[in-house]
């Protein structure tokens, strides 16, 4: 069981009034290939629509700590416990 997760990436588009994508990328061992991009749905722990997660500028660099949850509509997502912002 995964009890804790850390995401390092950039704020993507809002999915709806509560969920937002965080975009991460990593490089395969073959550096000639393009980076692999992942769009990870995230929800702030308060589950409200007006949160620090929803108010991020698209492209804002963030570090997110949280844990994985799931529901029928969205599938797996990260429930965000803390957000650190970087310029």
């Amino acid at each position: 069981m995964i009890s804790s997760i850390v995401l390092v990436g950039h704020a993507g588009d809002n999915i709806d009034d509560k969920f937002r994508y965080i975009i991460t990328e990593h490089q395969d061992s073959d550096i000639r290939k393009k980076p692999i991009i992942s769009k990870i749905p995230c929800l702030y722990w308060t589950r409200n629509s007006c949160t620090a997660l929803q108010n991020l500028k698209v492209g804002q660099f963030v570090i997110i700590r949280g844990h994985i949850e799931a529901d029928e509509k969205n599938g797996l997502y990260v429930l965000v416990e803390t957000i650190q912002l970087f310029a």
Side-chain angles (χ1 to χ4, degrees):
M1 178 176 148
I2 298 174
S3 60
S4 182
I5 189 165
V6 176
L7 289 176
V8 178
H10 296 89
D13 295 326
N14 289 337
I15 300 169
D16 59 24
D17 65 334
K18 295 181 182 179
F19 283 85
R20 174 175 217 135
Y21 285 121
I22 298 299
I23 301 168
T24 65
E25 64 179 70
H26 70 277
Q27 187 69 44
D28 196 332
S29 59
D30 183 354
I31 61 172
R32 295 172 288 174
K33 293 183 179 179
K34 291 183 179 179
I36 299 167
I37 307 287
S38 298
K39 292 172 70 174
I40 302 167
C42 295
L43 171 67
Y44 199 68
W45 69 271
T46 60
R47 301 176 197 272
N48 294 330
S49 58
C50 185
T51 65
L53 180 67
Q54 289 297 87
N55 293 328
L56 294 172
K57 287 186 354 184
V58 172
Q60 173 74 50
F61 181 68
V62 295
I63 296 177
I64 288 179
R65 289 178 177 84
H67 63 272
I68 295 176
E69 288 196 357
D71 65 20
E72 289 186 19
K73 179 183 173 191
N74 298 295
L76 292 175
Y77 61 89
V78 174
L79 187 68
V80 177
E81 296 165 354
T82 64
I83 300 175
Q84 290 179 298
L85 306 177
F86 294 90

